[in-house]
Amino acid sequence: MKIMVSACLLGQNCKYNGGNNYSEKVAEVIAETLGCKTKSVSVAIKDIPEENWKEQVWDKSIVPDDQYLYKRPEYTCD
């Protein structure tokens, strides 16, 4: 069985204009939730391999910036 998955579903920019279908919606939800303008919101997604997650993300961003998290992860990297 062959399965095809659109690159757009994987978060890649694949629209005719170089954009995607989700970043504007994410920005709109954030702006509405926080009461700010969408031009004040940036959306970035970076794929980090699972084997590098603890070193590149958990130890460098999540643990040191815990006090700024509005929602903490429901997992640990112990």
Side-chain angles (χ1 to χ4, degrees):
M1 175 190 314
K2 293 183 179 182
I3 299 174
M4 291 183 10
V5 178
S6 169
C8 293
L9 296 175
L10 299 175
Q12 296 180 16
N13 292 333
C14 59
K15 289 179 68 174
Y16 67 92
N17 64 359
N20 54 65
N21 291 323
Y22 60 84
S23 58
E24 198 58 43
K25 183 65 176 173
V26 170
E28 289 171 8
V29 170
I30 291 170
E32 181 181 329
T33 302
L34 298 178
C36 63
K37 298 179 181 178
T38 55
K39 67 180 184 179
S40 301
V41 177
S42 298
V43 176
I45 297 175
K46 183 178 181 183
D47 187 27
I48 307 291
E50 186 176 347
E51 61 271 12
N52 299 335
W53 184 260
K54 182 177 185 323
E55 178 187 341
Q56 292 182 10
V57 179
W58 184 265
D59 293 341
K60 290 185 178 179
S61 297
I62 295 176
V63 172
D65 292 335
D66 180 71
Q67 64 187 356
Y68 303 111
L69 294 175
Y70 286 90
K71 185 197 180 298
R72 287 171 175 76
E74 296 178 14
Y75 62 89
T76 64
C77 285
D78 298 330

